[in-house]
């Protein structure tokens, strides 16, 4: 693999993750609307049902799960390709933690569909932690990108 290609591979992961952060925030917004739907009445309820917020939240959540896991593995792969090793530090560990937390969060879906309030609360709490970690990852990731550019 050429050095030029290796260099440009470094930017796929950060680009995907910034897009994914936006998609995650949108999925969270949809989740908030789903929560509103549970207590809504009348016209508000009808509007939320017609907007298919349940279905959209599930679809975007599934997309976030898949892309987060693939983005985590992809970032690690590119790091290994370019350096022959992984750099075990806060960015990597938080990313692995996020991948694990999102898997647990998604695994709660069957329980939530059966009406489990504890699963719903845990799902919301986990996703709030994930988004917080994700925002921190975005900042530390840009530091890494700046170091890569400076080295090139």
């Amino acid at each position: 693999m050429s050095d030029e290609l290796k260099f440009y591979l470094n930017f796929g992961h950060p680009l995907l993750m910034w897009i994914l952060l936006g998609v995650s925030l949108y999925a969270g917004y949809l989740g908030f609307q789903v929560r509103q739907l549970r207590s809504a009445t009348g016209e508000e309820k009808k509007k939320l049902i017609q907007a298919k917020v349940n279905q959209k939240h599930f679809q975007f959540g599934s997309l976030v799960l898949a892309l987060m896991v693939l983005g985590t593995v992809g970032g690690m792969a590119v790091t290994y390709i370019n350096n022959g090793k992984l750099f075990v530090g806060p960015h990597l560990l938080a990313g692995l933690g996020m991948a694990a937390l999102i898997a647990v969060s998604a695994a709660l879906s069957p329980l939530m569909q059966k009406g489990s309030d504890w699963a719903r609360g845990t799902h919301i709490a986990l996703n709030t932690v994930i988004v917080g970690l994700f925002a921190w990852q975005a900042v530390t990731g840009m530091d890494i990108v700046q170091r890569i550019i400076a080295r090139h």
Side-chain angles (χ1 to χ4, degrees), residues 25-134:
L25 292 171
Y26 182 64
Y29 168 74
L30 291 170
F32 178 74
Q33 288 186 313
V34 169
R35 192 157 178 84
Q36 284 183 313
L37 175 60
R38 295 192 183 291
S39 60
T41 58
E43 197 59 37
E44 182 186 6
K45 186 170 190 137
K46 183 178 177 183
K47 182 181 171 186
L48 290 169
I49 290 170
Q50 286 176 340
K52 299 181 180 181
V53 293
N54 280 350
Q55 183 180 3
K56 288 178 182 176
H57 178 65
F58 186 80
Q59 290 169 337
F60 275 89
S62 296
L63 179 64
V64 170
L65 169 63
L67 292 179
M68 186 173 291
V69 171
L70 291 173
T72 300
V73 172
M76 291 167 57
V78 168
T79 300
Y80 189 80
I81 287 168
N82 282 322
N83 302 286
K85 64 180 180 176
L86 294 178
F87 299 101
V88 179
H91 189 82
L92 173 64
L93 296 175
L96 290 171
M98 289 167 54
L101 290 176
I102 200 162
V104 172
S105 179
L108 294 169
S109 291
L111 295 171
M112 291 185 296
Q113 289 171 345
K114 291 180 181 179
S116 172
D117 286 334
W118 75 263
R120 209 171 266 119
T122 303
H123 176 80
I124 293 166
L126 288 172
N127 289 341
T128 301
V129 169
I130 291 166
V131 169
L133 285 171
F134 213 160

